[in-house]
Amino acid sequence: MNTTVSSFLMKHNFVNHIDVLALAQGILDDMRRGLKKEPSDQDMIRTFCNPPKDTAKNQSVIVIDAGGTNFRSCLVTFDAAGVPAISEMEKTKMPGVERELSRKDFFEQIAQNLEHLKNKADRIGFCFSYPMEIQTDGDGILLGFSKEVKAPEVIGSKVGECLKAALAQHGWNTIKRVTMCNDTTSALLAGAATAGDIHRYSSYIGYILGTGMNAAYLQPDCDCCGIKKQIIVCESGKYKNINRSDFDIEFDKTTVKPGSFYMEKQCSGAYLGPVSTIIIQTAAKEGLFSAKMNEALLKIEPLTLIEMDKFLHGPFNKDCALGKLACEIATEEDLDMLYQLLDAVVERSARCSAAILTACAIQTGQGKNAAHPVCILCNGTTFYKTWMVNNRVHAYLDEILTNKLGIYWEIVSAENDITLGTAISGLIE
């Protein structure tokens, strides 16, 4: 790395080359405290469900996927051979993103979003990608919102129960069951469904790195925790025992919930762009670039992840603000420093992701036989599309999990993974 860039990042306490194994061990310790109901950053939510042994057949389920900025809903039907078909898909805005909503208005908006599916099934699989305390009946009590959703009255509510009441007001027939699950649970279940007859995975992990970030894994029986084998949702984004730079601290003050979700704010797509803006504008204030470049960077609009990622994929892409500057006024030294600063942000995200997956893989207690690896289903545009994140996570897992710890793993993807996994959850008794 350029010595000027290194000095600048060090001055502001930004560590991009995090020790993946050391961070994983800290996350793992916190996970184990949470499992024992001791104070911990991560919630370690028990789901009381496992991947089903048999595929659903001749059944339909309404599927809702609410998380990030979008609200998706559809009908999933499993035929006589257990092959799923998705129909009636609609996408709209997630309630509470554009403005603050009361509890009544929040569920009323959801009911309106589901009008096209009225009475087409009597079970709902609801992927609600926010911290919940899952109940034994499949419902979930909301613990809090992330991703800048503004509906504080919903916190503490039984989401499925409130949804049933709102649908009844809209004239729906009786809904037998609303099964709440996190998107990581859906990802894990979808991963299990991909195994087919040619794979025999020893355990499963679901990981989301998109607008937000979270992980779930299959916890084996644990007497010391009083827990039976089941999927555990970690709420990894809440982990706090990580280094925070001056830029992270400054950005955190501008968020809806300052002082929380430290890990998520260093990893996920909603935050990488804004943090990068602070970094490069601070560098400009300190005169790291040429005079013209310093002046231009101080005037740019706040970056989104898409904008910064366009530059990393193609520094001279005139379709993005930084690419225009690269073509018009930046010196070679400017380009080198700007590229390295933005690359440091995604490097840190990849290392944090690898640390979370390492901790989850260790906690499964599986993956000791190369023919029976731990299946990791990863979902999210930040993971798959952001510059070098996917490649780097693979490299760090290979180095740490396989070479150092002797744990074998395989990252998989599946078309419509969250929809499929949520449908499976909605049919679990």
Side-chain angles (χ1 to χ4, degrees):
M1 179 177 280
N2 182 302
T3 54
T4 303
V5 173
S6 297
S7 176
F8 170 74
L9 293 178
M10 185 176 294
K11 173 184 175 182
H12 291 283
N13 197 32
F14 186 99
V15 179
N16 57 319
H17 290 103
I18 295 167
D19 185 321
V20 174
L21 184 55
L23 179 56
Q25 289 167 336
I27 294 168
L28 189 59
D29 287 344
D30 186 75
M31 289 167 65
R32 289 170 175 170
R33 286 194 296 272
L35 288 171
K36 294 176 183 176
K37 303 291 187 179
E38 297 174 357
S40 63
D41 295 339
Q42 298 166 93
D43 294 324
M44 304 307 292
I45 299 165
R46 305 180 186 200
T47 66
F48 307 102
C49 78
N50 287 285
K53 294 180 180 179
D54 300 314
T55 303
K57 296 177 181 178
N58 297 317
Q59 290 178 285
S60 293
V61 57
I62 292 168
V63 169
I64 305 169
D65 178 8
T69 55
N70 296 316
F71 182 100
R72 298 178 180 85
S73 55
C74 66
L75 186 72
V76 176
T77 301
F78 294 87
D79 66 15
V83 177
I86 299 170
S87 61
E88 310 282 348
M89 175 69 80
E90 285 193 6
K91 182 175 81 170
T92 184
K93 286 281 188 181
M94 176 66 195
V97 170
E98 295 181 334
R99 63 185 180 88
E100 184 171 314
L101 298 176
S102 67
R103 181 169 66 179
K104 180 181 177 182
D105 288 343
F106 182 83
F107 287 103
E108 170 63 22
Q109 193 165 329
I110 291 179
Q112 291 176 12
N113 290 346
L114 296 178
E115 196 63 29
H116 66 295
L117 297 169
K118 186 173 181 179
N119 298 330
K120 293 190 176 180
D122 58 9
R123 290 176 178 270
I124 296 176
F126 194 164
C127 178
F128 198 60
S129 304
Y130 305 95
M132 292 182 291
E133 181 182 316
I134 300 297
Q135 309 295 291
T136 55
D137 63 357
D139 207 338
I141 297 173
L142 180 65
L143 301 176
F145 279 115
S146 57
K147 305 169 207 169
E148 313 301 286
V149 173
K150 300 172 284 293
E153 287 184 12
V154 181
I155 297 170
S157 302
K158 290 187 76 173
V159 178
E161 185 178 280
C162 291
L163 176 58
K164 281 184 181 180
L167 294 178
Q169 289 290 317
H170 280 247
W172 282 55
N173 296 337
T174 300
I175 295 294
K176 289 182 179 178
R177 181 181 172 98
V178 177
T179 303
M180 304 300 302
C181 67
N182 186 277
D183 51 0
T184 52
T185 301
S186 297
L188 188 155
L189 289 170
T194 67
D197 296 327
I198 62 172
H199 295 287
R200 293 186 183 178
Y201 296 116
S202 54
S203 193
Y204 298 94
I205 295 170
Y207 183 61
I208 308 293
L209 185 62
T211 303
M213 182 273 290
N214 197 10
Y217 71 98
L218 190 57
Q219 168 68 40
D221 290 345
C222 181
D223 292 337
C224 66
C225 301
I227 190 170
K228 296 293 185 183
K229 183 179 179 181
Q230 61 183 279
I231 299 169
I232 299 290
V233 175
C234 303
E235 293 303 332
S236 305
K238 287 186 169 185
Y239 184 67
K240 283 188 171 183
N241 191 21
I242 52 174
N243 176 79
R244 292 205 302 157
S245 68
D246 297 343
F247 318 121
D248 299 308
I249 293 168
E250 181 181 342
F251 169 67
D252 181 54
K253 294 174 184 176
T254 70
T255 61
V256 171
K257 288 190 174 182
S260 64
F261 292 92
Y262 288 177
M263 179 68 87
E264 183 167 283
K265 289 170 183 174
Q266 293 194 13
C267 280
S268 66
Y271 307 110
L272 298 185
V275 171
S276 295
T277 306
I278 293 172
I279 290 173
I280 62 175
Q281 291 192 329
T282 302
K285 288 175 186 176
E286 296 183 10
L288 260 68
F289 304 99
S290 63
K292 285 186 177 180
M293 192 67 168
N294 287 330
E295 184 180 351
L297 288 173
L298 290 172
K299 293 178 180 178
I300 63 168
E301 294 292 319
L303 296 174
T304 62
L305 174 59
I306 292 172
E307 279 286 308
M308 66 175 284
D309 192 48
K310 278 184 180 179
F311 176 76
L312 288 171
H313 273 97
F316 299 96
N317 182 353
K318 291 185 179 181
D319 288 338
C320 66
L322 296 179
K324 287 181 181 178
L325 295 180
C327 294
E328 295 170 2
I329 65 170
T331 67
E332 288 299 309
E333 290 76 14
D334 289 338
L335 283 172
D336 185 35
M337 285 189 287
L338 181 58
Y339 198 95
Q340 289 194 41
L341 288 172
L342 297 182
D343 187 62
V345 174
V346 294
E347 167 74 17
R348 185 176 69 170
S349 174
R351 286 177 176 257
C352 288
S353 296
I356 292 165
L357 293 174
T358 296
C360 288
I362 293 170
Q363 190 60 19
T364 67
Q366 299 296 322
K368 304 298 176 64
N369 184 321
H372 301 286
V374 175
C375 174
I376 304 172
L377 189 139
C378 291
N379 169 281
T381 54
T382 304
F383 183 85
Y384 285 108
K385 294 186 178 181
T386 301
W387 171 250
M388 292 296 288
V389 167
N390 187 351
N391 291 359
R392 285 168 169 164
V393 170
H394 273 81
Y396 299 139
L397 292 182
D398 191 49
E399 175 190 352
I400 303 299
L401 275 182
T402 306
N403 295 341
K404 288 189 176 179
L405 302 178
I407 296 174
Y408 296 90
W409 52 277
E410 181 181 349
I411 289 180
V412 304
S413 60
E415 189 175 359
N416 300 311
D417 49 6
I418 302 303
T419 300
L420 175 60
T422 304
I424 293 169
S425 77
L427 296 173
I428 293 174
E429 294 293 341

